[in-house]
């Protein structure tokens, strides 16, 4: 098979590193993938090491102040170097077989959009982009012919078992419940950043770990599923499944339910997004043995402890810019929590207040359809949310 070209935006993060692991183990059997672009925010040393180890064609550092450092780190190597927001978008527009959108937060939108506009198939981990700009990304994908392929484990599961012949009744996203599934609500006030970071099943970046602890990650995933699979809020359920073995389920009209199972390891959904529509890649992921596991548990979500799920459904039902506003409020609140400016339990509260305040505005926007409109709305959402920081 002719090697295929992969570019990774957010290569030094948790998903980025897992993607490079998948590439490495696939290439150990036969050279399946070449790396064109690797891009990161600040970590020059990690980016340069990756670029050298994987013989990337180009390395991009989003923080333009680090350009000179990257040049020093890559001197003597035949690797193109770029920096800053424009460098990131130009790199994203270079043709490739798969563009991995693995930047965290709304910062990932410009490069994801540039990749889609260039007609590159995007493997999407960066759910925040889709939530903020679903109509825009989907319209541009339609124009350019790009596919937006899910890489989030739940959405990959649905993608793998979805036979959409107009007979799907609903989707169920599974949720581990995060580190505070069994923590009484009256202890939520004193939860620290390091406690919130300690996810029982998945090893992930800081923001998504905190999102998992508040279950805002599942809230974002409801919206992500709605946009990826064209479903409404009442067609998407969430069930707590602490073992994270069933990654999600599709319910059909005849009563059949199809699920995808596997050990909780991002390498499986990443491998699927890299290989689709060709045959699956071999990975080193631990093999699932149900007889050893013995038991799988399921519970409903406690809406008082985890109000994020209801907030996402309300935002989806309201439509327009509400999903974007929810995402912006959450990004503001999570940063504030990390900086010690608000408590853990304030995160969902800030999101709720921001949504209510935005809903009360007379100048509410419809769903934005240009990057400029999206960026303006993001600023509006951020400004409203900041007012609710105590
Ligand atoms: P992370 O914090 O580990 O890594 C983030 C990456 O983005 C880093 O490479 C960083 O350099 C880059 N980055 C951050 N800000 C940037 C900016 N302004 N410009 C350019 N690059 C920037 O995050 P992660 O856990 O790998 O998550 C990445 C995305 O994937 C998130 O949207 C997350 O929700 C999603 N996701 C992650 C997992 C997981 O297992 N970690 C699973 C599913 C989905
Ligand atoms: Mg997920």
């Amino acid at each position: 098979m002719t090697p295929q070209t992969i570019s990774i935006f957010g290569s030094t993060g948790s998903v980025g590193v897992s993607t490079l692991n998948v590439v490495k183990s696939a290439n150990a059997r036969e050279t399946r993938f070449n790396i064109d672009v690797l891009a990161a925010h600040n970590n020059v040393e990690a980016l340069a090491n990756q670029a050298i180890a994987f013989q990337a064609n180009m390395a991009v550092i989003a923080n333009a102040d680090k350009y000179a450092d990257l040049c020093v780190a890559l001197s003597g190597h035949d690797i193109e170097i770029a920096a800053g927001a424009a460098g990131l978008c130009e790199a994203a527009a270079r043709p490739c077989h798969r563009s991995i959108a693995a930047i965290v937060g709304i910062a990932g939108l410009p490069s994801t959009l540039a990749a889609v506009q260039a007609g590159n198939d995007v493997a999407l981990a960066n759910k925040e982009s889709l939530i903020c700009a679903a109509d825009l990304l989907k319209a541009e994908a339609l124009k350019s012919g790009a596919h937006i392929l899910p890489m989030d484990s739940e959405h990959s599961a649905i993608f793998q078992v979805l036979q959409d012949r107009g007979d799907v009744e609903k989707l169920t996203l599974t949720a581990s419940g995060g580190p505070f599934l069994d923590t009484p609500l009256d202890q939520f006030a004193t939860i620290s950043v390091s406690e919130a970071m300690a996810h029982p099943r998945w090893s992930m970046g800081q923001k998504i770990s905190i999102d998992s602890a508040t279950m805002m990650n599942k809230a974002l995933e409801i919206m992500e599923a709605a946009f990826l699979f064209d479903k409404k809020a009442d067609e998407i359920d969430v069930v707590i499944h602490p073992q994270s073995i069933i990654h999600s389920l599709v319910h059909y009209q005849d009563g059949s339910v199809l699920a995808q199972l596997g050990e909780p390891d991002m390498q499986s959904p990443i491998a699927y997004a890299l290989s689709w529509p060709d045959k699956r890649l071999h990975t080193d992921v631990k093999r699932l043995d149900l007889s050893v596991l013995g038991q799988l548990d399921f519970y409903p979500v406690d809406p008082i402890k985890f109000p994020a799920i209801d907030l996402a459904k309300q935002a989806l039902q309201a439509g327009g810019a509400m999903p974007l506003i929810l995402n912006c409020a959450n990004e503001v609140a999570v940063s504030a929590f990390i900086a010690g400016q608000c408590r853990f339990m304030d995160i969902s509260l800030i999101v709720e207040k921001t949504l209510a305040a935005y809903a009360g505005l007379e100048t509410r926007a419809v769903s934005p359809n240009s990057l400029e409109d999206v960026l303006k709305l993001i600023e509006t959402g951020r400004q409203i949310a900041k007012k609710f920081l105590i």
Side-chain angles (χ1 to χ4, degrees), residues 217-345:
N217 182 50
K218 210 50 55 182
L220 299 177
E221 289 183 354
I222 291 174
M223 298 189 282
E224 183 183 14
F227 297 139
L228 280 171
F229 305 115
D230 287 323
K231 294 283 171 261
K232 298 193 184 75
D234 61 2
E235 295 171 315
I236 305 170
D237 279 351
V238 173
V239 66
I240 304 270
H241 167 40
Q243 293 92 350
S244 295
I245 295 295
I246 296 185
H247 297 306
S248 278
L249 312 98
V250 179
H251 303 249
Y252 292 92
Q253 273 172 13
D254 61 1
S256 285
V257 182
L258 300 195
Q260 185 259 350
L261 287 74
E263 288 288 335
D265 187 327
M266 280 303 289
Q267 290 189 82
S268 294
I270 290 169
Y272 193 77
L274 292 190
S275 60
W276 181 91
D278 301 322
K279 72 173 181 166
R280 290 169 190 259
L281 294 173
H282 181 277
T283 72
D284 302 328
V285 169
K286 184 179 166 208
R287 297 322 193 222
L288 179 62
D289 185 340
L290 289 175
S291 63
V292 171
L293 208 68
Q295 183 177 331
L296 297 178
D297 299 311
F298 305 94
Y299 313 102
V301 180
D302 178 342
I304 310 291
K305 274 168 71 173
F306 301 109
I309 304 294
D310 285 343
L311 292 175
K313 293 212 164 193
Q314 287 161 22
L316 260 183
Q317 265 151 1
M322 290 300 255
L324 174 152
I325 299 295
L326 185 155
N327 181 72
C328 296
N330 182 53
E331 290 196 19
V332 168
V334 170
S335 300
F337 174 60
I338 292 168
Q341 292 163 354
C342 75
R343 295 169 306 171
F344 177 78
M345 59 199 292

Side-chain angles (χ1 to χ4, degrees), residues 163-229:
Q163 300 164 3
D164 203 349
R165 294 179 294 177
D167 52 5
V168 172
E169 244 169 28
K170 67 168 186 176
L171 310 177
T172 298
L173 302 176
T174 52
S176 70
F180 308 123
L181 182 59
D182 299 318
T183 307
L185 184 59
D186 60 13
Q187 291 177 20
F188 271 32
T190 55
I191 286 171
S192 69
V193 174
S194 59
E195 285 167 338
M197 283 286 298
H199 197 280
R201 296 278 166 231
W202 296 91
S203 158
M204 307 180 288
Q206 188 177 42
K207 191 226 170 215
I208 187 176
S209 297
I210 291 168
D211 285 347
S212 298
T214 55
M215 287 200 71
M216 195 59 79
N217 182 50
K218 210 50 55 182
L220 299 177
E221 289 183 354
I222 291 174
M223 298 189 282
E224 183 183 14
F227 297 139
L228 280 171
F229 305 115

